[in-house]
Amino acid sequence: MLLYKVKDFKELSRKAANIISAQVILKPTSVLGLATGSTPVGTYKQLIEWYEKGDIDFSQVTTINLDEYKGLGAADVQSYRYFMNDNLFNHVNVNKDRTFVPNGLTEDPEEACKAYDDLIAACGGIDLQLLGIGGNGHIGFNEPTDSYIKATHVVTLSENTRSANARFFASMEEVPTHAITMGIGGIMEAKKILLLASGKAKAQAIYDALYGPITPQVPASILQLHPDVIVVADEEALSLL
Ligand code: F6R
């Protein structure tokens, strides 16, 4: 595991964008596993800036997102598809037909989850998976549980996660109760993982994930078993190390 300690969110965003950009330059047909949430926003902004300068070309890239709220579609501003279009895809030359986010409006979630895992396999697996981390240690929407779930699946969001994400909704009642998430298998099968963490609210989760026992109660702790993980975290997120 390679750990980069950076000063703050700005440095974190630059370092993460550097790593993603190196991946795409070295392999223009990369399959990028992407995340939403506040943490990668600065990274995406930096990538857009470099794209505008002509330093990075997304034309042959495929992207596969970690998760989507159940019940929300591309037109919903809180959906993760909308977030990705708005924060990255609309501003770079990625082929939108090769950007994948789980379908939150599916009428057959079981089939949609299976199809998502088949899609990852058909793309040849994920070259670089970008991850944020929940205050409770979740990755994707793999919440603390008694056992790891390998496949893409429907998850009941914890109250902790729903309140953490309530800031994006008008009220707590509007926060979806369920989501579709890539499973721990899909994440762990990525060839390389880039985990980002910023701010004090992530300090305990990062400490537990990197130094605690490997347990599904701290889903990110499984990353200790992955052979190629890069962690980029700021001083506040690393304050308990
Ligand atoms: C988002 C995702 C989540 C977030 C995590 C941290 O696609 O899978 O695991 O990465 O909830 O969210 P932020 O970055 O908003 O603190």
Side-chain angles (χ1 to χ4, degrees):
M1 183 174 291
L2 183 58
L3 173 63
Y4 285 109
K5 181 177 184 171
V6 295
K7 195 165 157 287
D8 52 21
F9 183 73
K10 194 166 170 227
E11 268 188 29
L12 171 139
S13 303
R14 215 176 151 76
K15 178 67 77 189
N18 259 308
I19 293 164
I20 295 170
S21 141
Q23 171 69 42
V24 174
I25 289 167
L26 290 172
K27 185 179 177 191
T29 57
S30 286
V31 179
L32 301 178
L34 296 180
T36 62
S38 303
T39 313
V41 167
T43 305
Y44 295 151
K45 271 207 181 98
Q46 182 65 79
L47 288 172
I48 293 167
E49 211 179 296
W50 288 338
Y51 163 73
E52 285 168 350
K53 283 189 180 155
D55 289 341
I56 176 166
D57 172 18
F58 291 92
S59 62
Q60 297 179 74
V61 163
T62 298
T63 69
I64 302 182
N65 261 77
L66 281 167
D67 40 22
E68 179 60 283
Y69 288 117
K70 211 158 162 284
L72 299 191
D76 290 295
V77 292
Q78 293 99 346
S79 75
Y80 284 174
R81 162 53 78 178
Y82 188 99
F83 174 102
M84 288 310 302
N85 288 345
D86 197 38
N87 282 281
L88 184 66
F89 302 153
N90 287 347
H91 310 285
V92 297
N93 65 338
V94 71
N95 176 351
K96 279 244 186 86
D97 293 342
R98 280 210 306 274
T99 65
F100 301 98
V101 179
N103 177 6
L105 296 179
T106 180
E107 293 193 346
D108 187 347
E110 207 174 306
E111 181 49 38
C113 289
K114 198 187 159 301
Y116 210 65
D117 286 332
D118 291 347
L119 167 81
I120 298 171
C123 291
I126 292 168
D127 291 302
L128 176 66
Q129 176 65 57
L130 178 64
L131 294 177
I133 185 168
N136 62 2
H138 73 218
I139 45 177
F141 272 138
N142 292 276
E143 296 280 39
T145 46
D146 292 337
S147 60
Y148 286 114
I149 302 178
K150 210 174 157 215
T152 296
H153 58 285
V154 175
V155 64
T156 305
L157 297 174
S158 68
E159 281 314 296
N160 179 305
T161 297
R162 289 186 69 236
S163 8
N165 291 0
R167 66 191 192 277
F168 299 112
F169 294 82
S171 69
M172 182 70 181
E173 289 67 49
E174 279 185 27
V175 186
T177 52
H178 292 80
I180 295 177
T181 183
M182 196 187 285
I184 291 295
I187 295 172
M188 287 297 281
E189 280 157 22
K191 291 166 195 121
K192 192 185 273 295
I193 290 179
L194 173 57
L195 172 67
L196 307 181
S198 173
K200 269 208 177 64
K202 302 298 171 67
Q204 188 66 52
I206 278 290
Y207 178 83
D208 292 344
L210 304 188
Y211 293 101
I214 298 166
T215 161
Q217 294 298 340
V218 181
S221 62
I222 192 107
L223 299 175
Q224 293 176 36
L225 297 178
H226 192 284
D228 194 356
V229 177
I230 305 175
V231 181
V232 182
D234 63 18
E235 286 171 3
E236 284 190 358
L238 294 176
S239 55
L240 296 180
L241 259 59

